[in-house]
Amino acid sequence: MNTGAHSLTNVHCRQRAGIYGGAFDPTHKAHVALAAAAVQQLALDVLYIIPTGQPWMKQRRLTAGPHRLAMARLAFDGVSQVHVDDCELQRAGTTYTIDTLRELQARPAHMGQATDWFLVMGEDLLHTLPLWQRAEDLLREMTVAVLARPDENESAGNTEKPLQPPAGVRAVPLHLPASPISSTAIRQGLQQRAALTPHERLAWLQTLVPPAVAQYIEDHHLYLTPH
């Protein structure tokens, strides 16, 4: 597990740190690609991957935290500058990003250090930001790094829509080819394949999630029945 790869060594330089939170239920190849793009395009010293605890926006019951944490650690193992962190899973009650930011800022790696903070997300979340807990505090201290979506009106199919963030939100685009992979589709696909052999399920899964994650899902019989 790549938990200490970040290069926070020069105390005289500004640090660049990112937070990429989500259910990661399960972690898939598009999550990994976005994390790698964020590290490279934002020149991050560290990107904290934060499997969510009890999120205020999710209505469905999530897979148990230890499973989601284990899958995230397997998926991001070896991705440069990435640290999978369980801080939200350890926190009681509803989890908010502003509390996660404050907890990370208080750690020795960041205390007393000038740090530029980035919040990595997909564009679908961008316009919910003003509704987030203590949004003004959060957005005052973080730049939002948004996965840019293709413009569906462009015949070429690869032109990105310009970002249109809400008022008061500093946003920069992250550039990555569009991916059809989603955690929802993976969960639904596994339920539909519950009667297949483990080998058949594993072969399908490995097209969508890293091989170690596919094996973990199969070993623990995850997602074969509805929650």
Side-chain angles (χ1 to χ4, degrees), residues 41-74:
Q41 294 175 29
L42 301 173
L44 298 179
D45 296 296
V46 58
L47 175 61
Y48 293 101
I49 301 292
I50 312 287
T52 190
Q54 182 180 328
W56 65 275
M57 287 188 294
K58 291 264 186 203
Q59 297 301 315
R60 70 176 182 86
R61 183 164 59 90
L62 301 180
T63 301
H67 283 315
R68 293 185 291 111
L69 179 65
M71 288 187 285
R73 285 176 169 165
L74 289 169

Side-chain angles (χ1 to χ4, degrees), residues 21-26 28 31 50-63 68 88 94-96 124-125 132 182-184 187:
F24 299 110
D25 194 12
H28 52 65
H31 290 139
I50 312 287
T52 190
Q54 182 180 328
W56 65 275
M57 287 188 294
K58 291 264 186 203
Q59 297 301 315
R60 70 176 182 86
R61 183 164 59 90
L62 301 180
T63 301
R68 293 185 291 111
E88 289 197 3
T94 305
T95 53
Y96 298 105
D124 54 328
L125 290 177
W132 289 26
S182 76
S183 295
T184 299
R187 294 192 303 271

